Amino acid sequence: MSISLGQPVADFTAQATGDTTVTLSQLRGRQVVIYFYPKDSTPGCTTEGGDFRDRKAAFEAANTLILGVSRDGLRAHENFKAKQDFNFELISDKDEALCRQFDVIKLKKLYGKEHLGIERSTFLIDADGNLAREWRKVKVPGHVAEVLDAARELHAQGSVQS
């Protein structure tokens, strides 16, 4: 199962920080940014999460909810979230169900060894639950600003249509 631009994103339910359960279909009416990152408390992931944290109010103004996803467990997520003062929830995807749904598990090389890991990727889902934009092989610098611009643009289009 893969996702395609302009198509509905299959519903999912996942455990997240703050003792919450996230169900995509219950978020209809809001845009959703789901960003996948390799690992809690690593430099790039900390920077990316901080960029989302620092722009949360702007995303909210564009009717957009932020969700981070990695394969780390909830305890690691809670620690990461608290330490970095993240103001959005992190989804634990230990069984890789969401990673597979969004096709972000890729063969990576680290110190000459190959392993399967999360390719840093971000997805913007519109208020009707359709995939509006996707960013794959993300480079952290400037990325969150680009996602915010897309969220604002999408929100403005939705406001015109309603």
Side-chain angles (χ1 to χ4, degrees):
M1 171 170 81
S2 66
I3 57 168
S4 305
L5 285 173
Q7 296 301 306
V9 175
D11 197 19
F12 64 81
T13 298
Q15 292 305 116
T17 50
D19 205 22
T20 56
T21 301
V22 174
T23 300
L24 185 61
S25 59
Q26 293 176 350
L27 302 176
R28 291 280 193 284
R30 293 188 75 185
Q31 297 174 172
V32 181
V33 164
I34 300 178
Y35 79 96
F36 289 83
Y37 63 96
K39 188 148 184 54
D40 288 345
S41 303
T42 55
C45 300
T46 299
T47 299
E48 185 178 26
D51 288 349
F52 276 113
R53 175 198 61 217
D54 296 346
R55 289 182 172 85
K56 183 175 186 247
F59 276 101
E60 285 182 342
N63 191 36
T64 305
L65 180 74
I66 301 163
L67 295 168
V69 182
S70 82
R71 297 182 298 182
D72 294 294
L74 284 174
R75 184 179 298 148
H77 273 354
E78 291 289 3
N79 291 338
F80 186 40
K81 182 182 168 192
K83 188 173 178 190
Q84 300 304 325
D85 204 21
F86 289 161
N87 47 13
F88 54 88
E89 303 307 333
L90 300 176
I91 292 174
S92 174
D93 192 32
K94 280 177 110 52
D95 66 0
E96 299 180 357
L98 268 183
C99 289
R100 283 193 301 274
Q101 180 176 337
F102 286 86
D103 190 29
V104 298
I105 299 287
K106 303 292 180 190
L107 193 60
K108 300 169 89 176
K109 276 192 174 157
L110 185 65
Y111 306 119
K113 288 191 163 71
E114 290 186 335
H115 69 283
L116 287 173
I118 292 179
E119 178 179 83
R120 194 181 304 277
S121 307
T122 302
F123 302 88
L124 175 60
I125 300 169
D126 70 18
D128 296 321
N130 300 308
L131 182 63
R133 291 281 306 271
E134 64 180 7
W135 294 264
R136 294 184 182 270
K137 297 183 182 172
V138 166
K139 300 285 182 257
V140 173
H143 174 63
V144 173
E146 189 180 325
V147 175
L148 178 58
D149 287 346
R152 285 176 168 152
E153 190 178 305
L154 185 62
H155 180 60
Q157 289 169 356
S159 301
V160 171
Q161 291 168 356
S162 37

